[in-house]
Amino acid sequence: MNIALFASGTGSNVYNVIQHFKSNDLINVVAVLSNKADAGALNHAKNAGVPSLTFGIKEFASAIKVEEFLAEKKVELIVLAGFLLKVPKSLIDLYPNKIINIHPALLPNFGGKGMYGINVHNAVIAAKEKKSGITIHLVNEKYDDGATIAQFECDLNEHDTPQSLAQKVSVLEKSHFPKTIEAYILKIK
Ligand code: GAR
């Protein structure tokens, strides 16, 4: 199974997923795509020898450039690893139940437009939640709305800040995201 990673940010998850599948004969990370030319994720791709593509917001909406690249690389499943744009319908139709996202909170709470990265953690801390975590889910046409594949939780206390929560969430992401992708692929194969 050939997978592509989409990312907009520093790419710590891209790095981690690439490392996880490096020694896997069944699952290959064959492409990294980003809407940001300076995304750290692209450096991780370069260092690992994984081909990459950058695209503008308008190019993504029409999806042709992206779809051609995915076809060229024979991509069978897409993983959004810190990707901030809404996925166009044409791409969702091309990959039914084969686009996975990671969200840094326990959906359906703290999701939706504008809810990414530290914004999510600010909202969770402001709401004085006792728990947060990560949700790994399928992508549909709405933000953070597709079927849940797995959730993992962390406890919060009164001393937690958005930054300390981000750290707890990052630990969960690093230990569970690649394994959950792998388990999902083995299930649908
Ligand atoms: C991750 O925490 C991921 O869950 C989040 O962006 C961060 C990217 O970090 N995704 C979203 O907020 C999607 N709504 P990274 O660039 O270091 O992998």
Short mmCIF file of all heavy atoms in Angstrom, two decimals, residues 9-61:
data_model
loop_
_atom_site.label_atom_id
_atom_site.label_comp_id
_atom_site.label_asym_id
_atom_site.label_seq_id
_atom_site.Cartn_x
_atom_site.Cartn_y
_atom_site.Cartn_z
N GLY A 9 2.70 22.07 8.42
CA GLY A 9 3.49 22.68 9.49
C GLY A 9 4.87 22.10 9.65
O GLY A 9 5.52 21.68 8.69
N THR A 10 5.29 22.04 10.91
CA THR A 10 6.66 21.62 11.21
C THR A 10 6.93 20.17 10.82
O THR A 10 8.05 19.79 10.53
CB THR A 10 6.97 21.77 12.71
OG1 THR A 10 5.99 21.01 13.42
CG2 THR A 10 6.90 23.20 13.16
N GLY A 11 5.86 19.37 10.83
CA GLY A 11 6.00 18.03 10.29
C GLY A 11 6.58 17.00 11.23
O GLY A 11 7.13 15.99 10.78
N SER A 12 6.41 17.19 12.55
CA SER A 12 6.94 16.17 13.46
C SER A 12 6.21 14.84 13.24
O SER A 12 6.80 13.77 13.38
CB SER A 12 6.86 16.62 14.92
OG SER A 12 5.53 16.72 15.35
N ASN A 13 4.94 14.91 12.88
CA ASN A 13 4.21 13.66 12.58
C ASN A 13 4.65 13.05 11.26
O ASN A 13 4.72 11.83 11.14
CB ASN A 13 2.70 13.91 12.60
CG ASN A 13 2.17 13.98 14.02
OD1 ASN A 13 2.07 12.97 14.70
ND2 ASN A 13 1.85 15.19 14.48
N VAL A 14 4.94 13.90 10.28
CA VAL A 14 5.45 13.38 9.01
C VAL A 14 6.74 12.61 9.26
O VAL A 14 6.92 11.48 8.79
CB VAL A 14 5.69 14.54 8.00
CG1 VAL A 14 6.59 14.10 6.85
CG2 VAL A 14 4.35 15.05 7.47
N TYR A 15 7.63 13.23 10.05
CA TYR A 15 8.90 12.57 10.37
C TYR A 15 8.65 11.21 11.03
O TYR A 15 9.22 10.19 10.64
CB TYR A 15 9.73 13.47 11.30
CG TYR A 15 11.00 12.81 11.76
CD1 TYR A 15 12.13 12.79 10.94
CD2 TYR A 15 11.08 12.19 13.01
CE1 TYR A 15 13.29 12.18 11.35
CE2 TYR A 15 12.25 11.56 13.42
CZ TYR A 15 13.35 11.56 12.59
OH TYR A 15 14.49 10.92 13.00
N ASN A 16 7.76 11.23 12.01
CA ASN A 16 7.50 10.02 12.79
C ASN A 16 6.86 8.91 11.94
O ASN A 16 7.22 7.73 12.06
CB ASN A 16 6.56 10.40 13.95
CG ASN A 16 6.46 9.34 15.00
OD1 ASN A 16 7.45 8.73 15.37
ND2 ASN A 16 5.24 9.09 15.46
N VAL A 17 5.95 9.29 11.07
CA VAL A 17 5.28 8.29 10.22
C VAL A 17 6.28 7.72 9.20
O VAL A 17 6.32 6.50 8.97
CB VAL A 17 4.04 8.90 9.52
CG1 VAL A 17 3.47 7.93 8.47
CG2 VAL A 17 2.96 9.26 10.55
N ILE A 18 7.11 8.60 8.63
CA ILE A 18 8.12 8.11 7.68
C ILE A 18 9.05 7.11 8.37
O ILE A 18 9.33 6.02 7.85
CB ILE A 18 8.95 9.28 7.07
CG1 ILE A 18 8.09 10.09 6.10
CG2 ILE A 18 10.20 8.75 6.36
CD1 ILE A 18 8.79 11.34 5.54
N GLN A 19 9.50 7.47 9.58
CA GLN A 19 10.40 6.57 10.32
C GLN A 19 9.74 5.23 10.61
O GLN A 19 10.34 4.17 10.47
CB GLN A 19 10.85 7.21 11.65
CG GLN A 19 11.72 8.44 11.51
CD GLN A 19 12.96 8.18 10.68
OE1 GLN A 19 13.66 7.18 10.85
NE2 GLN A 19 13.23 9.06 9.73
N HIS A 20 8.46 5.29 11.02
CA HIS A 20 7.74 4.08 11.39
C HIS A 20 7.65 3.09 10.22
O HIS A 20 7.80 1.88 10.42
CB HIS A 20 6.33 4.43 11.88
CG HIS A 20 5.52 3.24 12.28
ND1 HIS A 20 5.57 2.70 13.55
CD2 HIS A 20 4.66 2.46 11.58
CE1 HIS A 20 4.77 1.65 13.61
NE2 HIS A 20 4.20 1.48 12.43
N PHE A 21 7.38 3.62 9.02
CA PHE A 21 7.14 2.71 7.89
C PHE A 21 8.40 2.39 7.07
O PHE A 21 8.32 1.63 6.11
CB PHE A 21 6.04 3.28 6.98
CG PHE A 21 4.67 3.20 7.62
CD1 PHE A 21 3.96 4.34 7.92
CD2 PHE A 21 4.12 1.97 7.95
CE1 PHE A 21 2.71 4.28 8.54
CE2 PHE A 21 2.87 1.89 8.57
CZ PHE A 21 2.17 3.04 8.86
N LYS A 22 9.54 2.98 7.49
CA LYS A 22 10.79 2.77 6.77
C LYS A 22 11.12 1.29 6.56
O LYS A 22 11.55 0.87 5.50
CB LYS A 22 11.93 3.39 7.60
CG LYS A 22 12.83 4.32 6.85
CD LYS A 22 13.64 5.06 7.88
CE LYS A 22 15.02 5.35 7.43
NZ LYS A 22 15.72 6.11 8.49
N SER A 23 10.88 0.51 7.62
CA SER A 23 11.26 -0.89 7.55
C SER A 23 10.05 -1.79 7.31
O SER A 23 10.09 -2.99 7.60
CB SER A 23 11.94 -1.28 8.86
OG SER A 23 11.10 -0.92 9.94
N ASN A 24 8.98 -1.21 6.77
CA ASN A 24 7.76 -2.00 6.54
C ASN A 24 7.69 -2.36 5.04
O ASN A 24 7.75 -1.47 4.18
CB ASN A 24 6.55 -1.16 6.96
CG ASN A 24 5.26 -1.95 6.95
OD1 ASN A 24 4.93 -2.57 5.95
ND2 ASN A 24 4.53 -1.92 8.05
N ASP A 25 7.57 -3.64 4.74
CA ASP A 25 7.56 -4.06 3.33
C ASP A 25 6.21 -3.84 2.66
O ASP A 25 6.11 -3.75 1.45
CB ASP A 25 7.90 -5.56 3.23
CG ASP A 25 9.32 -5.81 3.66
OD1 ASP A 25 10.13 -4.86 3.59
OD2 ASP A 25 9.62 -6.94 4.09
N LEU A 26 5.15 -3.75 3.48
CA LEU A 26 3.79 -3.66 2.92
C LEU A 26 3.33 -2.23 2.70
O LEU A 26 2.52 -1.96 1.82
CB LEU A 26 2.80 -4.32 3.90
CG LEU A 26 2.70 -5.82 3.90
CD1 LEU A 26 1.72 -6.27 4.98
CD2 LEU A 26 2.22 -6.30 2.53
N ILE A 27 3.81 -1.32 3.55
CA ILE A 27 3.31 0.07 3.52
C ILE A 27 4.48 1.02 3.24
O ILE A 27 5.47 1.02 3.97
CB ILE A 27 2.63 0.42 4.86
CG1 ILE A 27 1.45 -0.54 5.11
CG2 ILE A 27 2.15 1.87 4.86
CD1 ILE A 27 0.92 -0.52 6.53
N ASN A 28 4.34 1.78 2.16
CA ASN A 28 5.42 2.69 1.77
C ASN A 28 4.94 4.13 1.72
O ASN A 28 3.92 4.41 1.09
CB ASN A 28 5.92 2.34 0.36
CG ASN A 28 6.39 0.91 0.28
OD1 ASN A 28 7.23 0.50 1.05
ND2 ASN A 28 5.80 0.16 -0.64
N VAL A 29 5.68 5.02 2.37
CA VAL A 29 5.39 6.46 2.24
C VAL A 29 6.06 6.91 0.94
O VAL A 29 7.29 6.95 0.84
CB VAL A 29 5.92 7.27 3.43
CG1 VAL A 29 5.63 8.75 3.22
CG2 VAL A 29 5.28 6.78 4.74
N VAL A 30 5.24 7.22 -0.08
CA VAL A 30 5.80 7.50 -1.41
C VAL A 30 5.75 8.98 -1.78
O VAL A 30 6.29 9.37 -2.82
CB VAL A 30 5.08 6.67 -2.51
CG1 VAL A 30 5.32 5.17 -2.29
CG2 VAL A 30 3.59 6.97 -2.56
N ALA A 31 5.07 9.79 -0.95
CA ALA A 31 4.97 11.21 -1.29
C ALA A 31 4.60 12.03 -0.06
O ALA A 31 3.87 11.56 0.81
CB ALA A 31 3.92 11.42 -2.39
N VAL A 32 5.11 13.26 -0.04
CA VAL A 32 4.70 14.24 0.97
C VAL A 32 4.23 15.48 0.21
O VAL A 32 4.92 15.95 -0.71
CB VAL A 32 5.87 14.60 1.92
CG1 VAL A 32 5.50 15.77 2.82
CG2 VAL A 32 6.26 13.38 2.77
N LEU A 33 3.06 15.97 0.55
CA LEU A 33 2.50 17.14 -0.14
C LEU A 33 2.21 18.24 0.87
O LEU A 33 1.78 17.96 2.00
CB LEU A 33 1.20 16.77 -0.87
CG LEU A 33 1.33 15.79 -2.03
CD1 LEU A 33 1.21 14.35 -1.55
CD2 LEU A 33 0.28 16.08 -3.10
N SER A 34 2.43 19.48 0.44
CA SER A 34 2.18 20.60 1.36
C SER A 34 1.69 21.83 0.62
O SER A 34 2.07 22.07 -0.53
CB SER A 34 3.45 20.94 2.13
OG SER A 34 3.18 21.99 3.04
N ASN A 35 0.85 22.59 1.30
CA ASN A 35 0.40 23.88 0.76
C ASN A 35 1.34 25.00 1.18
O ASN A 35 1.12 26.15 0.83
CB ASN A 35 -1.01 24.19 1.26
CG ASN A 35 -1.07 24.28 2.78
OD1 ASN A 35 -0.63 23.37 3.47
ND2 ASN A 35 -1.59 25.37 3.30
N LYS A 36 2.39 24.66 1.95
CA LYS A 36 3.34 25.69 2.41
C LYS A 36 4.74 25.33 1.93
O LYS A 36 5.29 24.29 2.32
CB LYS A 36 3.35 25.74 3.95
CG LYS A 36 2.06 26.24 4.57
CD LYS A 36 2.29 27.61 5.23
CE LYS A 36 1.01 28.26 5.67
NZ LYS A 36 0.50 27.71 6.90
N ALA A 37 5.32 26.23 1.14
CA ALA A 37 6.65 25.96 0.57
C ALA A 37 7.72 25.85 1.65
O ALA A 37 8.75 25.21 1.46
CB ALA A 37 7.02 27.04 -0.43
N ASP A 38 7.48 26.50 2.83
CA ASP A 38 8.49 26.46 3.89
C ASP A 38 8.13 25.48 5.02
O ASP A 38 8.69 25.55 6.11
CB ASP A 38 8.71 27.87 4.47
CG ASP A 38 7.43 28.46 5.07
OD1 ASP A 38 6.34 27.85 4.87
OD2 ASP A 38 7.51 29.50 5.73
N ALA A 39 7.21 24.58 4.76
CA ALA A 39 6.80 23.61 5.78
C ALA A 39 7.98 22.71 6.15
O ALA A 39 8.66 22.16 5.27
CB ALA A 39 5.62 22.78 5.30
N GLY A 40 8.19 22.53 7.44
CA GLY A 40 9.27 21.64 7.91
C GLY A 40 9.07 20.22 7.39
O GLY A 40 10.03 19.48 7.19
N ALA A 41 7.82 19.86 7.15
CA ALA A 41 7.50 18.53 6.64
C ALA A 41 8.25 18.23 5.35
O ALA A 41 8.67 17.09 5.10
CB ALA A 41 5.99 18.43 6.40
N LEU A 42 8.47 19.26 4.53
CA LEU A 42 9.15 19.06 3.24
C LEU A 42 10.62 18.71 3.46
O LEU A 42 11.20 17.94 2.70
CB LEU A 42 9.00 20.30 2.36
CG LEU A 42 7.56 20.60 1.92
CD1 LEU A 42 7.47 21.99 1.27
CD2 LEU A 42 7.05 19.53 0.96
N ASN A 43 11.22 19.30 4.51
CA ASN A 43 12.61 18.95 4.83
C ASN A 43 12.71 17.49 5.27
O ASN A 43 13.65 16.79 4.90
CB ASN A 43 13.15 19.83 5.95
CG ASN A 43 13.43 21.23 5.47
OD1 ASN A 43 13.72 21.42 4.29
ND2 ASN A 43 13.31 22.20 6.36
N HIS A 44 11.74 17.07 6.08
CA HIS A 44 11.76 15.66 6.51
C HIS A 44 11.64 14.73 5.31
O HIS A 44 12.30 13.69 5.25
CB HIS A 44 10.62 15.39 7.50
CG HIS A 44 10.76 16.14 8.79
ND1 HIS A 44 11.93 16.14 9.52
CD2 HIS A 44 9.89 16.92 9.48
CE1 HIS A 44 11.78 16.89 10.61
NE2 HIS A 44 10.54 17.37 10.61
N ALA A 45 10.81 15.12 4.35
CA ALA A 45 10.66 14.30 3.14
C ALA A 45 11.98 14.24 2.38
O ALA A 45 12.45 13.16 2.00
CB ALA A 45 9.55 14.89 2.25
N LYS A 46 12.59 15.42 2.21
CA LYS A 46 13.85 15.50 1.46
C LYS A 46 14.92 14.62 2.12
O LYS A 46 15.60 13.83 1.47
CB LYS A 46 14.30 16.95 1.42
CG LYS A 46 15.33 17.26 0.39
CD LYS A 46 15.57 18.76 0.31
CE LYS A 46 16.85 19.03 -0.44
NZ LYS A 46 17.33 20.38 -0.21
N ASN A 47 15.04 14.76 3.46
CA ASN A 47 16.05 13.99 4.19
C ASN A 47 15.83 12.49 4.06
O ASN A 47 16.78 11.71 4.11
CB ASN A 47 16.06 14.38 5.67
CG ASN A 47 16.55 15.80 5.87
OD1 ASN A 47 17.23 16.34 5.00
ND2 ASN A 47 16.19 16.41 6.99
N ALA A 48 14.57 12.10 3.91
CA ALA A 48 14.26 10.67 3.83
C ALA A 48 14.20 10.19 2.38
O ALA A 48 13.91 9.02 2.11
CB ALA A 48 12.93 10.39 4.52
N GLY A 49 14.44 11.11 1.44
CA GLY A 49 14.40 10.73 0.02
C GLY A 49 12.99 10.47 -0.49
O GLY A 49 12.81 9.71 -1.46
N VAL A 50 12.00 11.08 0.14
CA VAL A 50 10.61 10.90 -0.30
C VAL A 50 10.23 12.08 -1.21
O VAL A 50 10.40 13.24 -0.82
CB VAL A 50 9.64 10.84 0.91
CG1 VAL A 50 8.20 10.74 0.46
CG2 VAL A 50 10.00 9.67 1.83
N PRO A 51 9.72 11.81 -2.43
CA PRO A 51 9.33 12.90 -3.34
C PRO A 51 8.25 13.78 -2.72
O PRO A 51 7.40 13.30 -1.98
CB PRO A 51 8.76 12.17 -4.57
CG PRO A 51 9.23 10.77 -4.46
CD PRO A 51 9.47 10.49 -3.01
N SER A 52 8.29 15.09 -3.04
CA SER A 52 7.29 15.98 -2.47
C SER A 52 6.73 16.93 -3.52
O SER A 52 7.31 17.09 -4.60
CB SER A 52 7.90 16.77 -1.31
OG SER A 52 8.93 17.60 -1.80
N LEU A 53 5.61 17.54 -3.15
CA LEU A 53 4.95 18.50 -4.03
C LEU A 53 4.37 19.61 -3.17
O LEU A 53 3.79 19.34 -2.12
CB LEU A 53 3.80 17.81 -4.79
CG LEU A 53 3.00 18.70 -5.75
CD1 LEU A 53 3.76 18.87 -7.07
CD2 LEU A 53 1.61 18.12 -6.03
N THR A 54 4.53 20.86 -3.63
CA THR A 54 3.83 21.96 -2.96
C THR A 54 2.80 22.52 -3.93
O THR A 54 2.95 22.44 -5.16
CB THR A 54 4.78 23.10 -2.53
OG1 THR A 54 5.54 23.49 -3.66
CG2 THR A 54 5.69 22.67 -1.43
N PHE A 55 1.74 23.06 -3.36
CA PHE A 55 0.65 23.58 -4.20
C PHE A 55 0.02 24.77 -3.49
O PHE A 55 0.09 24.89 -2.26
CB PHE A 55 -0.39 22.49 -4.47
CG PHE A 55 -0.85 21.78 -3.24
CD1 PHE A 55 -1.84 22.33 -2.42
CD2 PHE A 55 -0.28 20.57 -2.86
CE1 PHE A 55 -2.24 21.68 -1.27
CE2 PHE A 55 -0.68 19.92 -1.69
CZ PHE A 55 -1.66 20.48 -0.90
N GLY A 56 -0.61 25.64 -4.27
CA GLY A 56 -1.31 26.79 -3.70
C GLY A 56 -2.74 26.41 -3.33
O GLY A 56 -3.23 25.35 -3.74
N ILE A 57 -3.38 27.29 -2.57
CA ILE A 57 -4.74 27.02 -2.11
C ILE A 57 -5.69 26.83 -3.29
O ILE A 57 -6.51 25.90 -3.30
CB ILE A 57 -5.23 28.17 -1.19
CG1 ILE A 57 -4.43 28.14 0.11
CG2 ILE A 57 -6.73 28.05 -0.89
CD1 ILE A 57 -4.85 29.15 1.14
N LYS A 58 -5.54 27.68 -4.32
CA LYS A 58 -6.44 27.56 -5.49
C LYS A 58 -6.18 26.27 -6.25
O LYS A 58 -7.10 25.61 -6.71
CB LYS A 58 -6.27 28.77 -6.41
CG LYS A 58 -7.03 29.98 -5.91
CD LYS A 58 -7.10 31.07 -6.95
CE LYS A 58 -7.79 32.28 -6.35
NZ LYS A 58 -7.27 33.54 -6.89
N GLU A 59 -4.90 25.92 -6.38
CA GLU A 59 -4.55 24.67 -7.08
C GLU A 59 -5.15 23.47 -6.35
O GLU A 59 -5.55 22.48 -6.95
CB GLU A 59 -3.04 24.50 -7.12
CG GLU A 59 -2.35 25.28 -8.21
CD GLU A 59 -0.84 25.19 -8.11
OE1 GLU A 59 -0.31 25.16 -6.98
OE2 GLU A 59 -0.20 25.17 -9.14
N PHE A 60 -5.21 23.58 -5.02
CA PHE A 60 -5.74 22.46 -4.24
C PHE A 60 -7.25 22.34 -4.43
O PHE A 60 -7.78 21.23 -4.55
CB PHE A 60 -5.41 22.65 -2.76
CG PHE A 60 -5.71 21.43 -1.92
CD1 PHE A 60 -5.24 20.18 -2.31
CD2 PHE A 60 -6.44 21.53 -0.75
CE1 PHE A 60 -5.50 19.05 -1.55
CE2 PHE A 60 -6.70 20.41 0.01
CZ PHE A 60 -6.24 19.17 -0.39
N ALA A 61 -7.91 23.48 -4.51
CA ALA A 61 -9.37 23.47 -4.68
C ALA A 61 -9.75 22.76 -5.99
O ALA A 61 -10.73 22.02 -6.04
CB ALA A 61 -9.91 24.88 -4.64
#
